[in-house]
Amino acid sequence: SIESILDLDVMEQHAVNSAAGRRSKRILDLSLALLLLLLWPLAALFVAEPLRMARNAWEVLSGSKSWVGYHPMTDRSLKLPPTKPGVLHPLVLQPQVSAAMAIRVNAEYAKDFSAWRDLALVLRGFRLLGR
């Protein structure tokens, strides 16, 4: 069932660590980074810290970061598949979240990954790409 948090291995075709998931995530990251660097003068008007956004784009191009990653959490009880650190995370627009909510959202992100969701998160959090 896609609704269960504990079945990360069962949903391999949708998981962020599947071959297809890694490939689509990397293609989206590269495409967005190149687009942002090409349109940097225009994008700089809408981002809170434009120079930091350019630096983030270079880090995404080099492969050391991704545009979207897990929510940073202190509780490491849930063993999630490894991903690169993200500039944004699924709860980027919610400043205060509980640890349980962060764990649930990270688990859902890991098992039901979609490049379209990553794109939607980047568009919603566009002003924060420079943090």
Side-chain angles (χ1 to χ4, degrees):
S1 166
I2 201 163
E3 298 301 319
S4 174
I5 290 178
L6 301 175
D7 61 355
L8 292 176
D9 295 330
V10 174
M11 299 305 296
E12 181 65 26
Q13 70 271 16
H14 297 290
V16 73
N17 66 332
S18 69
R22 286 191 311 269
R23 186 174 38 253
S24 64
K25 186 166 186 56
R26 185 69 180 141
I27 289 170
L28 179 67
D29 281 346
L30 290 174
S31 301
L32 285 175
L34 289 172
L35 184 66
L36 287 172
L37 287 173
L38 288 173
L39 300 176
W40 187 80
L42 181 62
L45 297 173
F46 300 101
V47 176
E49 296 179 42
L51 292 177
R52 182 70 181 140
M53 182 201 67
R55 183 173 176 213
N56 284 338
W58 284 112
E59 289 176 345
V60 168
L61 279 176
S62 73
S64 62
K65 278 190 176 180
S66 177
W67 286 115
V68 180
Y70 294 128
H71 183 281
M73 56 183 190
T74 56
D75 182 14
R76 303 286 181 212
S77 62
L78 184 63
K79 300 295 182 202
L80 297 171
T83 62
K84 291 183 173 63
V87 175
L88 303 175
H89 55 78
L91 295 171
V92 70
L93 298 177
Q94 298 177 4
Q96 299 293 328
V97 295
S98 68
M101 173 67 110
I103 289 170
R104 178 155 181 78
V105 167
N106 283 344
E108 287 176 7
Y109 181 77
K111 75 178 179 78
D112 197 22
F113 169 76
S114 165
W116 291 110
R117 282 194 199 127
D118 270 14
L119 181 60
L121 283 167
V122 169
L123 292 175
R124 280 191 309 221
F126 190 79
R127 287 196 50 76
L128 303 173
L129 291 179
R131 45 175 229 163

PDB file of all heavy atoms in Angstrom, residues 28-59:
ATOM      1  N   LEU A  28      15.993  16.738 -13.603  1.00  0.00           N
ATOM      2  CA  LEU A  28      15.286  17.941 -13.172  1.00  0.00           C
ATOM      3  C   LEU A  28      16.250  18.922 -12.512  1.00  0.00           C
ATOM      4  O   LEU A  28      16.214  20.129 -12.802  1.00  0.00           O
ATOM      5  CB  LEU A  28      14.157  17.586 -12.204  1.00  0.00           C
ATOM      6  CG  LEU A  28      13.375  18.779 -11.668  1.00  0.00           C
ATOM      7  CD1 LEU A  28      12.584  19.453 -12.778  1.00  0.00           C
ATOM      8  CD2 LEU A  28      12.466  18.356 -10.534  1.00  0.00           C
ATOM      9  N   ASP A  29      17.125  18.432 -11.641  1.00  0.00           N
ATOM     10  CA  ASP A  29      18.093  19.307 -10.972  1.00  0.00           C
ATOM     11  C   ASP A  29      18.976  20.023 -11.990  1.00  0.00           C
ATOM     12  O   ASP A  29      19.179  21.238 -11.908  1.00  0.00           O
ATOM     13  CB  ASP A  29      18.968  18.510 -10.005  1.00  0.00           C
ATOM     14  CG  ASP A  29      18.272  18.199  -8.694  1.00  0.00           C
ATOM     15  OD1 ASP A  29      17.215  18.803  -8.410  1.00  0.00           O
ATOM     16  OD2 ASP A  29      18.791  17.353  -7.944  1.00  0.00           O
ATOM     17  N   LEU A  30      19.525  19.274 -12.942  1.00  0.00           N
ATOM     18  CA  LEU A  30      20.398  19.875 -13.953  1.00  0.00           C
ATOM     19  C   LEU A  30      19.652  20.888 -14.817  1.00  0.00           C
ATOM     20  O   LEU A  30      20.160  21.986 -15.083  1.00  0.00           O
ATOM     21  CB  LEU A  30      21.014  18.786 -14.834  1.00  0.00           C
ATOM     22  CG  LEU A  30      22.053  17.893 -14.189  1.00  0.00           C
ATOM     23  CD1 LEU A  30      22.453  16.777 -15.138  1.00  0.00           C
ATOM     24  CD2 LEU A  30      23.262  18.694 -13.757  1.00  0.00           C
ATOM     25  N   SER A  31      18.450  20.527 -15.234  1.00  0.00           N
ATOM     26  CA  SER A  31      17.659  21.426 -16.082  1.00  0.00           C
ATOM     27  C   SER A  31      17.339  22.727 -15.368  1.00  0.00           C
ATOM     28  O   SER A  31      17.501  23.820 -15.937  1.00  0.00           O
ATOM     29  CB  SER A  31      16.359  20.745 -16.509  1.00  0.00           C
ATOM     30  OG  SER A  31      16.624  19.568 -17.210  1.00  0.00           O
ATOM     31  N   LEU A  32      16.888  22.623 -14.124  1.00  0.00           N
ATOM     32  CA  LEU A  32      16.560  23.827 -13.367  1.00  0.00           C
ATOM     33  C   LEU A  32      17.794  24.677 -13.080  1.00  0.00           C
ATOM     34  O   LEU A  32      17.738  25.913 -13.164  1.00  0.00           O
ATOM     35  CB  LEU A  32      15.866  23.463 -12.058  1.00  0.00           C
ATOM     36  CG  LEU A  32      14.427  23.011 -12.159  1.00  0.00           C
ATOM     37  CD1 LEU A  32      13.910  22.559 -10.800  1.00  0.00           C
ATOM     38  CD2 LEU A  32      13.555  24.119 -12.716  1.00  0.00           C
ATOM     39  N   ALA A  33      18.909  24.038 -12.750  1.00  0.00           N
ATOM     40  CA  ALA A  33      20.133  24.781 -12.463  1.00  0.00           C
ATOM     41  C   ALA A  33      20.601  25.546 -13.702  1.00  0.00           C
ATOM     42  O   ALA A  33      20.945  26.731 -13.611  1.00  0.00           O
ATOM     43  CB  ALA A  33      21.216  23.840 -11.966  1.00  0.00           C
ATOM     44  N   LEU A  34      20.610  24.888 -14.845  1.00  0.00           N
ATOM     45  CA  LEU A  34      21.020  25.562 -16.077  1.00  0.00           C
ATOM     46  C   LEU A  34      20.066  26.697 -16.439  1.00  0.00           C
ATOM     47  O   LEU A  34      20.503  27.786 -16.825  1.00  0.00           O
ATOM     48  CB  LEU A  34      21.108  24.558 -17.225  1.00  0.00           C
ATOM     49  CG  LEU A  34      22.269  23.581 -17.154  1.00  0.00           C
ATOM     50  CD1 LEU A  34      22.136  22.507 -18.228  1.00  0.00           C
ATOM     51  CD2 LEU A  34      23.591  24.316 -17.270  1.00  0.00           C
ATOM     52  N   LEU A  35      18.778  26.454 -16.302  1.00  0.00           N
ATOM     53  CA  LEU A  35      17.785  27.488 -16.594  1.00  0.00           C
ATOM     54  C   LEU A  35      17.954  28.689 -15.667  1.00  0.00           C
ATOM     55  O   LEU A  35      17.922  29.844 -16.113  1.00  0.00           O
ATOM     56  CB  LEU A  35      16.376  26.900 -16.467  1.00  0.00           C
ATOM     57  CG  LEU A  35      15.232  27.829 -16.826  1.00  0.00           C
ATOM     58  CD1 LEU A  35      15.274  28.178 -18.305  1.00  0.00           C
ATOM     59  CD2 LEU A  35      13.901  27.185 -16.471  1.00  0.00           C
ATOM     60  N   LEU A  36      18.145  28.432 -14.386  1.00  0.00           N
ATOM     61  CA  LEU A  36      18.322  29.537 -13.434  1.00  0.00           C
ATOM     62  C   LEU A  36      19.603  30.313 -13.698  1.00  0.00           C
ATOM     63  O   LEU A  36      19.623  31.542 -13.556  1.00  0.00           O
ATOM     64  CB  LEU A  36      18.298  29.008 -11.998  1.00  0.00           C
ATOM     65  CG  LEU A  36      16.935  28.586 -11.489  1.00  0.00           C
ATOM     66  CD1 LEU A  36      17.065  27.899 -10.136  1.00  0.00           C
ATOM     67  CD2 LEU A  36      16.006  29.781 -11.391  1.00  0.00           C
ATOM     68  N   LEU A  37      20.656  29.620 -14.076  1.00  0.00           N
ATOM     69  CA  LEU A  37      21.901  30.332 -14.382  1.00  0.00           C
ATOM     70  C   LEU A  37      21.775  31.151 -15.663  1.00  0.00           C
ATOM     71  O   LEU A  37      22.300  32.274 -15.742  1.00  0.00           O
ATOM     72  CB  LEU A  37      23.067  29.348 -14.482  1.00  0.00           C
ATOM     73  CG  LEU A  37      23.534  28.776 -13.148  1.00  0.00           C
ATOM     74  CD1 LEU A  37      24.567  27.682 -13.370  1.00  0.00           C
ATOM     75  CD2 LEU A  37      24.083  29.874 -12.243  1.00  0.00           C
ATOM     76  N   LEU A  38      21.078  30.609 -16.653  1.00  0.00           N
ATOM     77  CA  LEU A  38      20.873  31.358 -17.893  1.00  0.00           C
ATOM     78  C   LEU A  38      19.983  32.585 -17.684  1.00  0.00           C
ATOM     79  O   LEU A  38      20.191  33.635 -18.291  1.00  0.00           O
ATOM     80  CB  LEU A  38      20.268  30.460 -18.969  1.00  0.00           C
ATOM     81  CG  LEU A  38      21.196  29.416 -19.565  1.00  0.00           C
ATOM     82  CD1 LEU A  38      20.429  28.485 -20.492  1.00  0.00           C
ATOM     83  CD2 LEU A  38      22.335  30.085 -20.314  1.00  0.00           C
ATOM     84  N   LEU A  39      18.980  32.430 -16.847  1.00  0.00           N
ATOM     85  CA  LEU A  39      18.039  33.527 -16.582  1.00  0.00           C
ATOM     86  C   LEU A  39      18.339  34.249 -15.274  1.00  0.00           C
ATOM     87  O   LEU A  39      17.454  34.870 -14.691  1.00  0.00           O
ATOM     88  CB  LEU A  39      16.606  32.971 -16.557  1.00  0.00           C
ATOM     89  CG  LEU A  39      16.128  32.300 -17.844  1.00  0.00           C
ATOM     90  CD1 LEU A  39      14.756  31.708 -17.653  1.00  0.00           C
ATOM     91  CD2 LEU A  39      16.143  33.283 -19.004  1.00  0.00           C
ATOM     92  N   TRP A  40      19.590  34.152 -14.831  1.00  0.00           N
ATOM     93  CA  TRP A  40      19.956  34.697 -13.528  1.00  0.00           C
ATOM     94  C   TRP A  40      19.578  36.170 -13.345  1.00  0.00           C
ATOM     95  O   TRP A  40      19.017  36.522 -12.304  1.00  0.00           O
ATOM     96  CB  TRP A  40      21.452  34.500 -13.260  1.00  0.00           C
ATOM     97  CG  TRP A  40      21.818  34.900 -11.874  1.00  0.00           C
ATOM     98  CD1 TRP A  40      21.652  34.160 -10.753  1.00  0.00           C
ATOM     99  CD2 TRP A  40      22.372  36.133 -11.450  1.00  0.00           C
ATOM    100  NE1 TRP A  40      22.076  34.848  -9.651  1.00  0.00           N
ATOM    101  CE2 TRP A  40      22.524  36.082 -10.061  1.00  0.00           C
ATOM    102  CE3 TRP A  40      22.741  37.296 -12.121  1.00  0.00           C
ATOM    103  CZ2 TRP A  40      23.035  37.122  -9.318  1.00  0.00           C
ATOM    104  CZ3 TRP A  40      23.259  38.339 -11.381  1.00  0.00           C
ATOM    105  CH2 TRP A  40      23.404  38.243  -9.999  1.00  0.00           C
ATOM    106  N   PRO A  41      19.807  37.070 -14.314  1.00  0.00           N
ATOM    107  CA  PRO A  41      19.425  38.478 -14.080  1.00  0.00           C
ATOM    108  C   PRO A  41      17.928  38.639 -13.791  1.00  0.00           C
ATOM    109  O   PRO A  41      17.545  39.433 -12.932  1.00  0.00           O
ATOM    110  CB  PRO A  41      19.824  39.179 -15.375  1.00  0.00           C
ATOM    111  CG  PRO A  41      20.876  38.312 -15.972  1.00  0.00           C
ATOM    112  CD  PRO A  41      20.507  36.912 -15.580  1.00  0.00           C
ATOM    113  N   LEU A  42      17.115  37.882 -14.495  1.00  0.00           N
ATOM    114  CA  LEU A  42      15.668  37.952 -14.257  1.00  0.00           C
ATOM    115  C   LEU A  42      15.287  37.265 -12.951  1.00  0.00           C
ATOM    116  O   LEU A  42      14.517  37.798 -12.154  1.00  0.00           O
ATOM    117  CB  LEU A  42      14.924  37.318 -15.435  1.00  0.00           C
ATOM    118  CG  LEU A  42      13.403  37.333 -15.342  1.00  0.00           C
ATOM    119  CD1 LEU A  42      12.882  38.759 -15.313  1.00  0.00           C
ATOM    120  CD2 LEU A  42      12.811  36.576 -16.501  1.00  0.00           C
ATOM    121  N   ALA A  43      15.836  36.081 -12.719  1.00  0.00           N
ATOM    122  CA  ALA A  43      15.520  35.336 -11.502  1.00  0.00           C
ATOM    123  C   ALA A  43      15.985  36.086 -10.258  1.00  0.00           C
ATOM    124  O   ALA A  43      15.348  36.008  -9.204  1.00  0.00           O
ATOM    125  CB  ALA A  43      16.165  33.948 -11.544  1.00  0.00           C
ATOM    126  N   ALA A  44      17.081  36.844 -10.373  1.00  0.00           N
ATOM    127  CA  ALA A  44      17.622  37.587  -9.231  1.00  0.00           C
ATOM    128  C   ALA A  44      16.643  38.625  -8.705  1.00  0.00           C
ATOM    129  O   ALA A  44      16.708  39.007  -7.534  1.00  0.00           O
ATOM    130  CB  ALA A  44      18.944  38.245  -9.614  1.00  0.00           C
ATOM    131  N   LEU A  45      15.732  39.060  -9.542  1.00  0.00           N
ATOM    132  CA  LEU A  45      14.729  40.036  -9.101  1.00  0.00           C
ATOM    133  C   LEU A  45      13.719  39.429  -8.127  1.00  0.00           C
ATOM    134  O   LEU A  45      13.096  40.148  -7.349  1.00  0.00           O
ATOM    135  CB  LEU A  45      13.979  40.603 -10.310  1.00  0.00           C
ATOM    136  CG  LEU A  45      14.815  41.388 -11.315  1.00  0.00           C
ATOM    137  CD1 LEU A  45      13.974  41.729 -12.528  1.00  0.00           C
ATOM    138  CD2 LEU A  45      15.403  42.635 -10.672  1.00  0.00           C
ATOM    139  N   PHE A  46      13.545  38.126  -8.187  1.00  0.00           N
ATOM    140  CA  PHE A  46      12.498  37.472  -7.406  1.00  0.00           C
ATOM    141  C   PHE A  46      13.012  36.632  -6.240  1.00  0.00           C
ATOM    142  O   PHE A  46      12.225  36.143  -5.441  1.00  0.00           O
ATOM    143  CB  PHE A  46      11.651  36.579  -8.323  1.00  0.00           C
ATOM    144  CG  PHE A  46      10.991  37.340  -9.425  1.00  0.00           C
ATOM    145  CD1 PHE A  46      11.522  37.316 -10.702  1.00  0.00           C
ATOM    146  CD2 PHE A  46       9.869  38.101  -9.174  1.00  0.00           C
ATOM    147  CE1 PHE A  46      10.923  38.030 -11.723  1.00  0.00           C
ATOM    148  CE2 PHE A  46       9.261  38.825 -10.186  1.00  0.00           C
ATOM    149  CZ  PHE A  46       9.792  38.790 -11.469  1.00  0.00           C
ATOM    150  N   VAL A  47      14.316  36.453  -6.144  1.00  0.00           N
ATOM    151  CA  VAL A  47      14.900  35.613  -5.103  1.00  0.00           C
ATOM    152  C   VAL A  47      15.456  36.502  -3.997  1.00  0.00           C
ATOM    153  O   VAL A  47      16.032  37.556  -4.264  1.00  0.00           O
ATOM    154  CB  VAL A  47      16.014  34.715  -5.699  1.00  0.00           C
ATOM    155  CG1 VAL A  47      16.708  33.914  -4.633  1.00  0.00           C
ATOM    156  CG2 VAL A  47      15.416  33.797  -6.746  1.00  0.00           C
ATOM    157  N   ALA A  48      15.276  36.064  -2.761  1.00  0.00           N
ATOM    158  CA  ALA A  48      15.716  36.863  -1.613  1.00  0.00           C
ATOM    159  C   ALA A  48      17.228  37.104  -1.619  1.00  0.00           C
ATOM    160  O   ALA A  48      17.679  38.214  -1.348  1.00  0.00           O
ATOM    161  CB  ALA A  48      15.290  36.183  -0.313  1.00  0.00           C
ATOM    162  N   GLU A  49      18.021  36.100  -1.914  1.00  0.00           N
ATOM    163  CA  GLU A  49      19.484  36.229  -1.947  1.00  0.00           C
ATOM    164  C   GLU A  49      20.001  35.711  -3.287  1.00  0.00           C
ATOM    165  O   GLU A  49      20.366  34.537  -3.406  1.00  0.00           O
ATOM    166  CB  GLU A  49      20.109  35.452  -0.791  1.00  0.00           C
ATOM    167  CG  GLU A  49      19.723  35.984   0.574  1.00  0.00           C
ATOM    168  CD  GLU A  49      20.350  35.178   1.695  1.00  0.00           C
ATOM    169  OE1 GLU A  49      21.546  34.829   1.578  1.00  0.00           O
ATOM    170  OE2 GLU A  49      19.629  34.877   2.652  1.00  0.00           O
ATOM    171  N   PRO A  50      20.070  36.580  -4.305  1.00  0.00           N
ATOM    172  CA  PRO A  50      20.425  36.129  -5.655  1.00  0.00           C
ATOM    173  C   PRO A  50      21.811  35.492  -5.772  1.00  0.00           C
ATOM    174  O   PRO A  50      21.979  34.505  -6.495  1.00  0.00           O
ATOM    175  CB  PRO A  50      20.364  37.408  -6.497  1.00  0.00           C
ATOM    176  CG  PRO A  50      19.606  38.385  -5.687  1.00  0.00           C
ATOM    177  CD  PRO A  50      19.724  37.990  -4.265  1.00  0.00           C
ATOM    178  N   LEU A  51      22.808  36.029  -5.076  1.00  0.00           N
ATOM    179  CA  LEU A  51      24.148  35.443  -5.184  1.00  0.00           C
ATOM    180  C   LEU A  51      24.184  34.043  -4.600  1.00  0.00           C
ATOM    181  O   LEU A  51      24.846  33.147  -5.136  1.00  0.00           O
ATOM    182  CB  LEU A  51      25.193  36.332  -4.509  1.00  0.00           C
ATOM    183  CG  LEU A  51      25.461  37.663  -5.193  1.00  0.00           C
ATOM    184  CD1 LEU A  51      26.445  38.489  -4.392  1.00  0.00           C
ATOM    185  CD2 LEU A  51      25.950  37.447  -6.608  1.00  0.00           C
ATOM    186  N   ARG A  52      23.459  33.839  -3.532  1.00  0.00           N
ATOM    187  CA  ARG A  52      23.380  32.516  -2.917  1.00  0.00           C
ATOM    188  C   ARG A  52      22.633  31.549  -3.839  1.00  0.00           C
ATOM    189  O   ARG A  52      22.962  30.369  -3.911  1.00  0.00           O
ATOM    190  CB  ARG A  52      22.696  32.622  -1.547  1.00  0.00           C
ATOM    191  CG  ARG A  52      22.614  31.339  -0.804  1.00  0.00           C
ATOM    192  CD  ARG A  52      23.979  30.892  -0.313  1.00  0.00           C
ATOM    193  NE  ARG A  52      23.820  29.630   0.373  1.00  0.00           N
ATOM    194  CZ  ARG A  52      24.665  28.629   0.279  1.00  0.00           C
ATOM    195  NH1 ARG A  52      25.769  28.756  -0.378  1.00  0.00           N
ATOM    196  NH2 ARG A  52      24.425  27.505   0.895  1.00  0.00           N
ATOM    197  N   MET A  53      21.625  32.051  -4.561  1.00  0.00           N
ATOM    198  CA  MET A  53      20.910  31.204  -5.509  1.00  0.00           C
ATOM    199  C   MET A  53      21.856  30.732  -6.609  1.00  0.00           C
ATOM    200  O   MET A  53      21.844  29.564  -6.990  1.00  0.00           O
ATOM    201  CB  MET A  53      19.733  31.928  -6.137  1.00  0.00           C
ATOM    202  CG  MET A  53      18.947  31.053  -7.104  1.00  0.00           C
ATOM    203  SD  MET A  53      17.951  31.932  -8.300  1.00  0.00           S
ATOM    204  CE  MET A  53      19.185  32.714  -9.300  1.00  0.00           C
ATOM    205  N   ALA A  54      22.705  31.625  -7.116  1.00  0.00           N
ATOM    206  CA  ALA A  54      23.667  31.240  -8.146  1.00  0.00           C
ATOM    207  C   ALA A  54      24.644  30.196  -7.600  1.00  0.00           C
ATOM    208  O   ALA A  54      24.972  29.223  -8.288  1.00  0.00           O
ATOM    209  CB  ALA A  54      24.414  32.472  -8.642  1.00  0.00           C
ATOM    210  N   ARG A  55      25.084  30.391  -6.359  1.00  0.00           N
ATOM    211  CA  ARG A  55      25.984  29.414  -5.740  1.00  0.00           C
ATOM    212  C   ARG A  55      25.289  28.057  -5.589  1.00  0.00           C
ATOM    213  O   ARG A  55      25.878  27.011  -5.855  1.00  0.00           O
ATOM    214  CB  ARG A  55      26.454  29.920  -4.387  1.00  0.00           C
ATOM    215  CG  ARG A  55      27.437  28.988  -3.736  1.00  0.00           C
ATOM    216  CD  ARG A  55      28.002  29.594  -2.485  1.00  0.00           C
ATOM    217  NE  ARG A  55      28.879  28.631  -1.846  1.00  0.00           N
ATOM    218  CZ  ARG A  55      29.047  28.533  -0.562  1.00  0.00           C
ATOM    219  NH1 ARG A  55      28.442  29.374   0.250  1.00  0.00           N
ATOM    220  NH2 ARG A  55      29.842  27.638  -0.052  1.00  0.00           N
ATOM    221  N   ASN A  56      24.018  28.078  -5.154  1.00  0.00           N
ATOM    222  CA  ASN A  56      23.252  26.835  -5.035  1.00  0.00           C
ATOM    223  C   ASN A  56      23.122  26.150  -6.396  1.00  0.00           C
ATOM    224  O   ASN A  56      23.216  24.919  -6.487  1.00  0.00           O
ATOM    225  CB  ASN A  56      21.873  27.095  -4.444  1.00  0.00           C
ATOM    226  CG  ASN A  56      21.920  27.347  -2.958  1.00  0.00           C
ATOM    227  OD1 ASN A  56      22.848  26.965  -2.272  1.00  0.00           O
ATOM    228  ND2 ASN A  56      20.897  28.025  -2.451  1.00  0.00           N
ATOM    229  N   ALA A  57      22.898  26.925  -7.447  1.00  0.00           N
ATOM    230  CA  ALA A  57      22.773  26.349  -8.788  1.00  0.00           C
ATOM    231  C   ALA A  57      24.083  25.664  -9.197  1.00  0.00           C
ATOM    232  O   ALA A  57      24.060  24.568  -9.764  1.00  0.00           O
ATOM    233  CB  ALA A  57      22.396  27.424  -9.794  1.00  0.00           C
ATOM    234  N   TRP A  58      25.215  26.277  -8.883  1.00  0.00           N
ATOM    235  CA  TRP A  58      26.506  25.654  -9.201  1.00  0.00           C
ATOM    236  C   TRP A  58      26.706  24.379  -8.384  1.00  0.00           C
ATOM    237  O   TRP A  58      27.246  23.393  -8.891  1.00  0.00           O
ATOM    238  CB  TRP A  58      27.669  26.616  -8.957  1.00  0.00           C
ATOM    239  CG  TRP A  58      27.786  27.645 -10.040  1.00  0.00           C
ATOM    240  CD1 TRP A  58      27.545  28.984  -9.919  1.00  0.00           C
ATOM    241  CD2 TRP A  58      28.131  27.435 -11.412  1.00  0.00           C
ATOM    242  NE1 TRP A  58      27.717  29.604 -11.132  1.00  0.00           N
ATOM    243  CE2 TRP A  58      28.090  28.680 -12.055  1.00  0.00           C
ATOM    244  CE3 TRP A  58      28.460  26.300 -12.155  1.00  0.00           C
ATOM    245  CZ2 TRP A  58      28.362  28.825 -13.408  1.00  0.00           C
ATOM    246  CZ3 TRP A  58      28.747  26.442 -13.508  1.00  0.00           C
ATOM    247  CH2 TRP A  58      28.696  27.698 -14.118  1.00  0.00           C
ATOM    248  N   GLU A  59      26.286  24.394  -7.134  1.00  0.00           N
ATOM    249  CA  GLU A  59      26.417  23.189  -6.300  1.00  0.00           C
ATOM    250  C   GLU A  59      25.512  22.065  -6.802  1.00  0.00           C
ATOM    251  O   GLU A  59      25.884  20.894  -6.739  1.00  0.00           O
ATOM    252  CB  GLU A  59      26.121  23.516  -4.842  1.00  0.00           C
ATOM    253  CG  GLU A  59      27.207  24.354  -4.193  1.00  0.00           C
ATOM    254  CD  GLU A  59      26.884  24.780  -2.777  1.00  0.00           C
ATOM    255  OE1 GLU A  59      25.709  24.676  -2.360  1.00  0.00           O
ATOM    256  OE2 GLU A  59      27.810  25.231  -2.097  1.00  0.00           O
TER     257      GLU A  59
END
